[in-house]
């Protein structure tokens, strides 16, 4: 439950920042209203504006092509049945000679979840590009 009281001024905006989601934010809502979700993938960063307050809900789902650790009558070994490779994720989640299979394919949060309060304007992911002068 997020409260709009975290804002000091009416023009302040509150954000819930997800520093990394693996694999798919399948559903998101605030106060029962649906919110857009980021594209699927590994370690996806995303933020939601939560200035209005209310109950925030997020469902994170595993990759679409979940894959299996066995092929036919036995174990596949390196990367399982390779079905997981159809999604943008690490195939090692199905196991490798140096790693056991991860049952949920590492579905969930990577990194922090933060609540931020900003002014009415924010600048994010700024980049400075330089060119050689001739």
């Amino acid at each position: 439950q997020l409260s709009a009281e975290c804002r000091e001024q009416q023009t302040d905006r509150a954000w819930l920042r997800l520093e990394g989601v693996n694999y798919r934010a399948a559903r998101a809502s605030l106060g029962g209203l649906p919110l857009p979700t980021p594209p699927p993938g590994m370690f996806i960063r995303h933020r939601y504006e939560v200035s209005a307050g209310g109950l925030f809900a997020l469902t994170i789902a595993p990759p679409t092509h979940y894959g299996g650790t066995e092929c036919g009558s036995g174990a596949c070994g390196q990367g399982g049945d390779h079905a997981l490779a159809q999604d943008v994720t690490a195939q090692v989640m199905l196991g490798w000679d140096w790693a056991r299979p991860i049952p949920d394919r590492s579905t969930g949060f990577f990194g922090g979840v933060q609540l931020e309060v900003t002014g009415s304007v924010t600048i994010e992911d700024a980049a400075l590009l330089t060119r050689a002068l001739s």
Side-chain angles (χ1 to χ4, degrees):
Q1 179 76 24
L2 300 170
S3 170
E5 295 170 6
C6 65
R7 299 181 302 156
E8 291 182 16
Q9 300 177 15
Q10 192 65 24
T11 56
D12 285 348
R13 297 169 79 183
W15 304 91
L16 189 65
R17 177 183 301 280
L18 309 176
E19 292 298 330
V21 173
N22 187 46
Y23 179 78
R24 182 171 30 123
R27 285 185 302 276
S29 65
L30 179 64
L33 301 173
L35 298 172
T37 56
M42 287 190 75
F43 316 124
I44 299 296
R45 296 182 326 154
H46 194 67
R47 72 180 189 160
Y48 293 97
E49 185 172 3
V50 294
S51 299
L55 181 65
F56 178 80
L58 179 66
T59 301
I60 300 174
T64 304
H65 304 95
Y66 195 75
T69 57
E70 296 185 7
C71 296
S73 60
C76 293
Q78 310 285 51
D81 62 6
H82 303 289
L84 189 60
Q86 297 176 62
D87 294 315
V88 182
T89 190
Q91 199 168 350
V92 71
M93 305 293 176
L94 278 170
W96 220 260
D97 57 357
W98 46 268
R100 298 184 57 79
I102 299 171
D104 66 357
R105 309 300 183 253
S106 288
T107 300
F109 293 107
F110 279 83
V113 177
Q114 303 169 358
L115 180 62
E116 295 180 339
V117 177
T118 67
S120 58
V121 176
T122 60
I123 298 175
E124 289 201 352
D125 299 326
L128 176 63
L129 303 176
T130 59
R131 289 190 253 181
L133 299 175
S134 42

